[in-house]
Amino acid sequence: AGPLRLRRPRPRTVTAALTLLAVASLATAGVLGVLGVCLACAVHTVAAERAPRTAWVVCGAVLAVVVAALWWWQDIGLAEVLLWSDPIVLPDGDPVRDLAQPPFSPGRRSVSVLLLLALLLLGMATGSGARARRLHDEDLVARYRAMARDRDQSAALARAAERARIAREMHDVVAHLSQSHLSPWRRKQSGRCP
């Protein structure tokens, strides 16, 4: 539960811890097991949360370290699991329960390496897609907010222009009225009254 809580804030730390756990599993038990899928999920999180260059560096480092450990210490890989999944039945009808460990085979190890590569690339692809979607959504929200801000500013400018126009008209009306009311009085004062 602890690494899952750290998965988003510190994805590289969790990926490094899972890589060390995978190497330890291969060194002690000779099996990678479900840790390949866990590594793919960790790489997905790195790709979703960090820059693409960082994600590719982390993916390459995980692949290099785990492939080296696979090549040196793997006893049972995907090929062996698939080969041993069906019971071998002898002619007398009894299934064989003790299978001898197969000798080292680069072909069998290659299947495990290719599976790990496919899982890590799948994690990179889905993580990069999630990051791209998140960045696109953030960009859309930022553009919407900018458009709303521009709309509000345009409305404020239109209101100010309308107020200025009304003020000018009121000034003209008041000036005209005062001029028309004062004109007879001025004429009377000047002595040119009809």
Side-chain angles (χ1 to χ4, degrees):
L4 286 178
R5 278 189 233 135
L6 293 176
R7 187 173 60 100
R8 293 218 188 252
R10 296 187 180 166
R12 290 178 292 186
T13 305
V14 171
T15 304
L18 284 172
T19 302
L20 292 175
L21 190 61
V23 169
S25 173
L26 284 165
T28 57
V31 177
L32 181 61
V34 75
L35 287 171
V37 176
C38 293
L39 284 169
C41 291
V43 167
H44 164 87
T45 305
V46 171
E49 299 294 325
R50 299 292 186 252
R53 181 177 177 155
T54 303
W56 282 109
V57 167
V58 168
C59 182
V62 167
L63 184 65
V65 169
V66 176
V67 164
L70 274 171
W71 210 260
W72 284 103
W73 294 311
Q74 184 181 33
D75 289 334
I76 299 173
L78 180 65
E80 288 83 7
V81 170
L82 293 176
L83 289 174
W84 292 352
S85 61
D86 293 330
I88 299 172
V89 180
L90 295 177
D92 63 358
D94 292 331
V96 176
R97 302 240 184 253
D98 292 328
L99 295 175
Q101 180 178 346
F104 173 80
S105 166
R108 289 185 181 144
R109 302 279 162 75
S110 297
V111 171
S112 296
V113 168
L114 289 175
L115 177 64
L116 179 66
L117 176 64
L119 287 172
L120 292 179
L121 289 177
L122 181 66
M124 279 294 299
T126 58
S128 297
R131 177 181 166 82
R133 274 193 317 277
R134 189 185 78 240
L135 291 176
H136 178 70
D137 291 346
E138 289 171 1
D139 182 50
L140 286 176
V141 167
R143 283 195 293 183
Y144 174 76
R145 287 184 179 148
M147 285 174 29
R149 223 178 8 256
D150 290 344
R151 182 194 65 223
D152 293 344
Q153 287 175 348
S154 296
L157 288 173
R159 281 192 305 269
E162 183 67 15
R163 285 183 190 138
R165 185 188 65 76
I166 291 171
R168 276 192 311 273
E169 285 181 8
M170 286 181 65
H171 177 268
D172 292 345
V173 167
V174 169
H176 177 70
L177 285 175
S178 65
Q179 184 68 26
S180 66
H181 285 294
L182 289 177
S183 289
W185 183 77
R186 282 189 190 155
R187 278 187 256 145
K188 194 176 194 183
Q189 291 291 334
S190 65
R192 293 186 285 162
C193 202

